[in-house]
Amino acid sequence: MCMAMINVMRRLIILSTIFFISITTSAEYALVADYVIDGKSDNPLKNRVILVSGKKIVSIIDIDAIPEKYTVINLPGTVLMPGMVNAHEHPLLYQSDYQNGHLQASSAFKALMGLKALQRLLESGWTSIRVMGDGDVYYANQDIRKAIDQGMFLGPRLTGAAHYISITGGGGDINYLSPEQAVIADGLIADGPHEIRKAIRQEIKFGSDWIKVMVTGAFMSVGDNPENVSFSPEELRAAVEEAARHNIPVAAHAHATEGINQAVIAGVRSIEHGSFLSQESIDLMVEHGTYLVPTIYVGDYYANSGKLLAQSKNADFYLAFRDDWLKMLGTAHRKGVKIAVGSDLCGYEVAPHVCAREFDTLIEAGLSPMDAIKAGTSVGAELLQWDDMLGSLEPNKLADIIAVPGNPLEDISALESPSFVMKDGRIIVNKFENYSVFNQ
């Protein structure tokens, strides 16, 4: 064999060895903070250290027992907790008048904006996000998810529905143009069980792993009423049955009491919003094990900020029922309804720290600070059916971990500005070292 060939073979061996080492060698960290909130316990843990190897948590040990092989990351003055789970988000929305936005920007442009919005959310501690329909006639979020899953870009873990399925004239339709105009709605319009089944199959075909149905009218759309029920019981049954045949869960946008009740009876996994919750609704949700994602702060944001959506229903109407709604949410929590955090707000133009204000509204509704944190960590993970791999700090779960300054049990606003963010064992942000992976 000639020397040139030998040298080529040596280089190939060296390169293959380097590649093998790079994919098999995993970083090992010991995360040290003042306390640990594990997402399951009712009290924070003191003098505990989280050991991370590769993508997973190895163990939570005593602070005096850190093995030498681990790189210690000191995070003084902070509390370690699971990465936050946002169970209701719209990353592609980029302007307040959202019903027109999907007509003014291409799906490709919105994918770029959506990726940026999602990366900012990850930097702010949201490591997992469920998309609940979005302002796009195509499937930009599903493409973003593919790119993140394949390692092309960093971003939060994604799941969800590309579109909301609406009746003609419902909250997902365009109801403010003359009948001569032919424009594409940002929802999928389906009437009757047959059309609903076809719409669900189309959603699944192009990557939706949740189905969202607009069971009632909406607050931020023209020409419909949030107190009206859109789908019939037969249509709802068809939606849940069709999705279940593909092992896909259903989320129901529902404000009106009767719409909430019908959706729960039909078997949806979650109720989104639930504005006119009743005692009967609560009893049904407990009986059926239905989750509730109330998305409170988005209403506060638009009603109080002077940034009302162009097509928004009367803000005074929202503020008039808000107190009664929060009382019912508190009752629902005490009765055993599982409440999860969803912001419904943080697209491209809204600062990502605003999303965390949903925790404060849950406390206002009657949840304890610890239960509010669980709503945005372990309960959210259960809703997404990801609780086997995330949502709490436990051995063998993914190392989605954040550290927040101070004590969030005393000041929940600490969740707005994490000092440290890790996803899948990779450091995303460490403010103690002025480090962000997006600035490298």
Side-chain angles (χ1 to χ4, degrees):
M1 183 180 295
C2 69
M3 185 58 66
M5 183 63 71
I6 292 173
N7 287 336
V8 169
M9 293 182 66
R10 284 175 177 170
R11 288 177 184 173
L12 288 173
I13 292 170
I14 291 170
L15 288 172
S16 64
T17 302
I18 291 172
F19 177 74
F20 178 76
I21 291 172
S22 68
I23 64 172
T24 57
T25 301
S26 58
E28 295 180 311
Y29 300 111
L31 306 182
V32 182
D34 293 2
Y35 295 94
V36 173
I37 291 175
D38 64 11
K40 288 293 187 73
S41 304
D42 291 330
N43 296 297
L45 311 176
K46 189 172 176 56
N47 297 321
R48 307 294 284 172
V49 174
I50 302 176
L51 299 184
V52 173
S53 180
K55 292 186 175 184
K56 292 190 175 183
I57 297 170
V58 175
S59 61
I60 301 178
I61 63 168
D62 188 82
I63 196 168
D64 297 323
I66 302 174
E68 289 186 4
K69 67 177 181 176
Y70 284 86
T71 299
V72 176
I73 298 179
N74 285 304
L75 304 165
T78 70
V79 174
L80 288 165
M81 56 178 277
M84 294 183 289
V85 178
N86 187 338
H88 189 122
E89 194 50 273
H90 305 284
L92 304 183
L93 296 186
Y94 66 97
Q95 56 179 320
S96 292
D97 191 6
Y98 88 91
Q99 275 201 305
N100 294 315
H102 75 287
L103 300 172
Q104 297 172 17
S106 69
S107 183
F109 184 66
K110 281 179 285 190
L112 294 171
M113 286 193 295
L115 176 61
K116 184 64 176 179
L118 287 163
Q119 289 179 336
R120 293 191 305 187
L121 286 167
L122 177 58
E123 287 183 291
S124 296
W126 300 94
T127 55
S128 298
I129 291 176
R130 182 181 66 156
V131 176
M132 280 284 89
D134 218 342
D136 186 33
V137 298
Y138 291 124
Y139 296 85
N141 280 309
Q142 281 60 40
D143 288 334
I144 295 171
R145 184 184 65 197
K146 288 179 190 174
I148 291 172
D149 289 349
Q150 292 176 16
M152 286 187 270
F153 297 101
L154 283 173
R157 192 172 291 100
L158 293 181
T159 187
H163 304 96
Y164 15 80
I165 299 175
S166 168
I167 64 164
T168 298
D173 202 355
I174 295 178
N175 304 319
Y176 49 87
L177 296 176
S178 68
E180 292 90 345
Q181 309 306 316
V183 295
I184 303 174
D186 57 344
L188 294 183
I189 309 306
D191 299 299
H194 177 74
E195 289 187 4
I196 289 168
R197 290 181 188 276
K198 185 173 182 179
I200 288 172
R201 291 171 185 177
Q202 178 176 318
E203 284 288 275
I204 296 170
K205 173 182 177 179
F206 291 111
S208 290
D209 52 8
W210 278 79
I211 295 299
K212 180 181 178 182
V213 288
M214 300 288 285
V215 175
T216 73
F219 275 99
M220 297 179 182
S221 53
V222 174
D224 63 311
N225 188 334
E227 294 186 275
N228 289 344
V229 180
S230 299
F231 284 107
S232 68
E234 292 76 17
E235 290 172 319
L236 281 173
R237 283 197 297 272
V240 174
E241 288 173 3
E242 185 62 34
R245 290 198 312 108
H246 302 276
N247 296 311
I248 300 292
V250 176
H253 161 109
H255 292 291
T257 303
E258 186 57 32
I260 296 169
N261 296 352
Q262 288 184 20
V264 172
I265 292 169
V268 303
R269 185 163 179 82
S270 66
I271 296 292
E272 312 299 307
H273 317 304
S275 302
F276 302 106
L277 202 64
S278 69
Q279 185 60 59
E280 181 184 4
S281 308
I282 292 170
D283 292 341
L284 284 170
M285 293 179 78
V286 171
E287 177 186 349
H288 290 265
T290 313
Y291 290 78
L292 175 61
V293 188
T295 70
I296 308 163
Y297 184 73
V298 62
D300 297 348
Y301 179 83
Y302 284 114
N304 296 312
S305 69
K307 297 180 179 180
L308 289 176
L309 297 178
Q311 68 276 11
S312 177
K313 308 301 194 288
N314 192 330
D316 292 338
F317 175 55
Y318 165 78
L319 294 173
F321 76 78
R322 182 183 186 278
D323 288 346
D324 290 338
W325 179 33
L326 263 62
K327 288 178 183 176
M328 291 305 296
L329 292 176
T331 300
H333 173 65
R334 290 189 293 275
K335 292 287 187 179
V337 175
K338 294 182 178 182
I339 296 177
V341 166
S343 69
D344 195 19
L345 179 61
C346 292
Y348 184 75
E349 291 187 348
V350 177
H353 72 274
V354 170
C355 291
R357 294 178 185 172
E358 185 69 15
F359 291 94
D360 189 54
T361 61
L362 291 179
I363 293 171
E364 185 182 353
L367 277 69
S368 69
M370 185 64 87
D371 284 339
I373 289 173
K374 291 178 182 179
T377 54
S378 56
V379 178
E382 290 173 11
L383 166 60
L384 271 52
Q385 299 175 302
W386 283 350
D387 51 306
D388 61 331
M389 63 180 185
L390 55 87
S392 59
L393 303 180
E394 300 179 73
N396 296 317
K397 288 197 173 182
L398 292 173
D400 285 13
I401 304 168
I402 67 174
V404 298
N407 185 348
L409 299 176
E410 297 175 356
D411 181 4
I412 201 69
S413 68
L415 302 185
E416 294 183 28
S417 55
S419 303
F420 177 88
V421 178
M422 171 180 280
K423 181 203 169 198
D424 285 336
R426 180 170 185 171
I427 298 172
I428 306 299
V429 171
N430 185 351
K431 292 182 180 179
F432 288 92
E433 298 181 359
N434 196 27
Y435 172 82
S436 171
V437 70
F438 295 108
N439 294 330
Q440 303 308 304

